[in-house]
Amino acid sequence: MTKENSNKMWGGRFEDKPSDIMEQINASIGIDKRMWRQDIRGSIAHATMLSQQGIISKNEAVEIVNGLNKIAEEIKSGNFEFKASLEDIHMNIESRLREIIGDVAGKLHTARSRNDQVATDFRMWTRGAADELVHLIEELQGALEALAQKHKSDIMPGFTHLQAAQPITLAMHLGAYSQMLERDKGRFIDCRARLNECPLGSAALAGTPYPIDRKFTTEKLGFDRPISNTLDAVSARDFANEFLFCAAQTGLHLSRLAEEIIIWATPQFGFIQLSDAWSTGSSIMPQKKNPDAAELVRGKCGRLNGNLIQMMTIMKGLPLAYNKDLQEDKEPVFDSFDSISLCLQAMKGMLESATFHTDAMLESAEMGYTTATALADWLVMNLGLPFRDAHHVTGAIVKMAENKGCKLDELNLSDMQELNPAITDEIFAVLSVKK
Ligand code: ARG
């Protein structure tokens, strides 16, 4: 007989209750309660399948499903008490089901283990998260594309080594980020496709002797197919690693854009001004307007990368099949989802409400001798100079402009002809950035 003190779910052979610290280290309810919808959906599919297969009766299934729906209502309305003593979301729900419908609740766990249950819930959750992130990425791309449209002929310096290199358009610059995001989106879509296989029916590790119908639950839960190897089904978490990488890579792309916004927003650059809604002031320096949201997007990379390393480290060397280490899988995934969702939305908000100082961008492109490469190419194409020689002559022309404190297109033809007499006034066609 189970002692009064021991766990009602698995305490048959136990006489004592766990120590307080054991309860604390063992409990995951604070984290995994986020999967309550998936858990209830999975249980409803499982109970329905059990009755269709004659493993439990129709009436029992109806009672179980009604009870689960009632629990869903309780959780939705905030009237459900989550208990750490019941470890996780699975046992919290099952225990409440027993309170509502009595002992028949115990039949729900026939032909199932928490090991296949949690793997099923977690895959469903991650699948939904990937879908949501694809949507948020598309929203940000929409904002970038609208800005690119607006600034398709606004000139700015393109940089290498953060030194003005060649003139480009602001549209080109923003378009580069939209393409990075397109690949990020593709990665989430791939991740989702690979993870969308159903572990349910694997039970603890070795399958189950009951005549279950895995095809039914697989379809009911929106999976593409059941996972054939039951050990793999309960212990694989590469889908979590993959999701975490997708999030980290997206964050990494956003951090590059964030860094540029931060640089561009300095008075020294003056390329962009963030709206008040997306900046903060300094409590001591009244003149300041800080790009905090951009800095936080850049800073969130720390946790996004950390979560990936954390999960990969949990998995390293883990023997088959289920081990409790796996319970540590949800926190990094939830955290990366929350973080990258915020970053994508913040980036969209910042960009949409920012003012781009295209006059300052143009001026900077003109000041930086960014047409020097075009000049060298002109010398090659029109005078037949070898590129290295053209490069040398161009360098001398840039130095001349520097000495005179003028732009390249403000130089005199005769001055340039001192460096190469074959130069004609057609050269002016390539000296201004607008060309
Ligand atoms: N809370 C557990 C987890 O997240 C559920 C699975 C528990 N299984 C077990 N055999 N103790 O991994």
Side-chain angles (χ1 to χ4, degrees):
M1 278 307 291
T2 306
K3 281 277 165 58
E4 190 49 28
N5 272 338
S6 73
N7 189 299
K8 299 279 183 304
M9 300 290 163
W10 44 251
R13 60 168 296 185
F14 287 76
E15 301 205 331
D16 274 332
K17 65 175 190 147
S19 82
D20 281 352
I21 297 296
M22 176 58 196
E23 189 172 297
Q24 280 180 47
I25 197 174
N26 202 31
S28 58
I29 186 64
I31 305 291
D32 61 28
K33 63 180 174 196
R34 256 180 106 156
M35 301 195 305
W36 68 267
R37 286 175 201 278
Q38 290 74 21
D39 196 67
I40 288 178
R41 184 176 171 196
S43 287
I44 289 176
H46 183 67
T48 309
M49 181 278 290
L50 290 177
S51 85
Q52 281 183 15
Q53 296 299 104
I55 301 167
I56 63 174
S57 76
K58 289 263 173 305
N59 284 345
E60 288 165 342
V62 169
E63 276 188 78
I64 289 171
V65 170
N66 288 344
L68 288 168
N69 282 325
K70 183 160 189 291
I71 292 171
E73 289 308 318
E74 289 178 357
I75 299 177
K76 244 186 270 177
S77 60
N79 292 320
F80 187 94
E81 194 197 339
F82 294 101
K83 295 181 189 141
S85 58
L86 291 165
E87 279 184 47
D88 56 24
I89 187 62
H90 324 293
M91 297 212 294
N92 267 269
I93 288 177
E94 195 186 318
S95 166
R96 178 70 187 130
L97 186 64
R98 187 179 291 267
E99 284 172 10
I100 298 172
I101 67 172
D103 283 349
V104 63
K107 297 208 172 188
L108 171 61
H109 216 51
T110 315
R112 184 176 78 170
S113 152
R114 271 189 296 156
N115 298 351
D116 60 341
Q117 185 178 1
V118 71
T120 305
D121 293 0
F122 194 27
R123 280 179 191 253
M124 285 197 277
W125 192 92
T126 308
R127 176 176 81 186
D131 290 344
E132 211 167 312
L133 291 174
V134 165
H135 172 70
L136 291 177
I137 289 173
E138 284 172 348
E139 298 257 287
L140 175 56
Q141 282 181 306
L144 283 165
E145 276 149 29
L147 282 171
Q149 194 57 35
K150 184 169 165 199
H151 296 291
K152 64 171 183 273
S153 23
D154 287 327
I155 290 159
M156 63 172 282
F159 298 92
T160 60
H161 313 270
L162 205 51
Q163 310 275 333
Q166 292 187 281
I168 57 169
T169 61
L170 177 52
M172 263 174 94
H173 197 107
L174 297 173
Y177 284 103
S178 190
Q179 298 217 336
M180 293 177 220
L181 288 167
E182 187 62 23
R183 294 192 294 277
D184 293 331
K185 184 172 113 179
R187 266 185 286 269
F188 276 113
I189 292 170
D190 290 349
C191 166
R192 187 216 201 270
R194 217 175 340 271
L195 71 75
N196 201 33
E197 298 185 330
C198 189
L200 197 61
S202 303
L205 74 163
T208 167
Y210 298 93
I212 58 169
D213 182 352
R214 290 191 70 189
K215 206 167 158 278
F216 175 85
T217 41
T218 292
E219 277 167 19
K220 193 105 185 129
L221 298 175
F223 287 106
D224 296 328
R225 63 196 75 85
I227 301 178
S228 56
N229 186 300
T230 56
L231 275 87
D232 185 35
V234 292
S235 64
R237 294 292 184 275
D238 46 299
F239 72 89
N241 291 339
E242 196 173 347
F243 179 88
L244 289 168
F245 174 75
C246 295
Q249 179 58 65
T250 307
L252 198 148
H253 282 153
L254 295 185
S255 81
R256 298 182 67 180
L257 179 52
E259 171 71 2
E260 302 208 295
I261 291 174
I262 292 162
I263 294 171
W264 292 4
T266 58
Q268 290 74 10
F269 261 77
F271 283 9
I272 191 174
Q273 183 167 3
L274 295 177
S275 69
D276 289 355
W278 293 98
S279 10
T280 58
S282 157
S283 51
I284 178 168
M285 297 166 282
Q287 84 282 15
K288 292 199 70 182
K289 192 164 176 188
N290 296 327
D292 287 28
E295 291 168 51
L296 286 162
V297 168
R298 188 177 59 182
K300 291 280 183 200
C301 272
R303 63 169 70 214
L304 291 167
N305 294 352
N307 287 336
L308 171 60
I309 296 298
Q310 184 175 326
M311 189 62 214
M312 292 205 303
T313 309
I314 291 166
M315 295 312 293
K316 184 196 170 292
L318 209 62
L320 291 176
Y322 180 86
N323 300 271
K324 197 66 174 249
D325 315 42
L326 292 176
Q327 180 165 282
E328 291 289 312
D329 59 359
K330 284 154 222 89
E331 199 168 358
V333 170
F334 293 170
D335 183 71
S336 281
F337 170 75
D338 291 342
S339 303
I340 197 67
S341 302
L342 278 175
C343 291
L344 287 162
Q345 294 174 81
M347 200 46 103
K348 176 170 182 278
M350 262 186 285
L351 288 171
E352 278 177 335
S353 62
T355 310
F356 289 85
H357 296 305
T358 50
D359 45 348
M361 291 181 171
L362 176 61
E363 199 183 308
S364 165
E366 283 172 340
M367 295 310 295
Y369 307 113
T370 57
T371 55
T373 311
L375 195 167
D377 288 335
W378 186 91
L379 295 172
V380 171
M381 291 192 286
N382 294 277
L383 306 186
L385 263 59
F387 184 78
R388 278 292 158 229
D389 297 347
H391 187 285
H392 196 79
V393 172
T394 305
I397 294 176
V398 167
K399 189 157 179 224
M400 183 187 279
E402 215 169 39
N403 289 340
K404 296 192 171 202
C406 70
K407 298 172 188 168
L408 290 176
D409 61 348
E410 288 166 357
L411 287 168
N412 293 326
L413 179 60
S414 56
D415 290 339
M416 288 190 273
Q417 282 170 337
E418 273 170 34
L419 294 161
N420 187 309
I423 294 174
T424 67
D425 65 354
E426 278 169 37
I427 198 166
F428 288 101
V430 297
L431 292 184
S432 100
V433 294
K434 293 216 161 145
K435 292 291 187 305

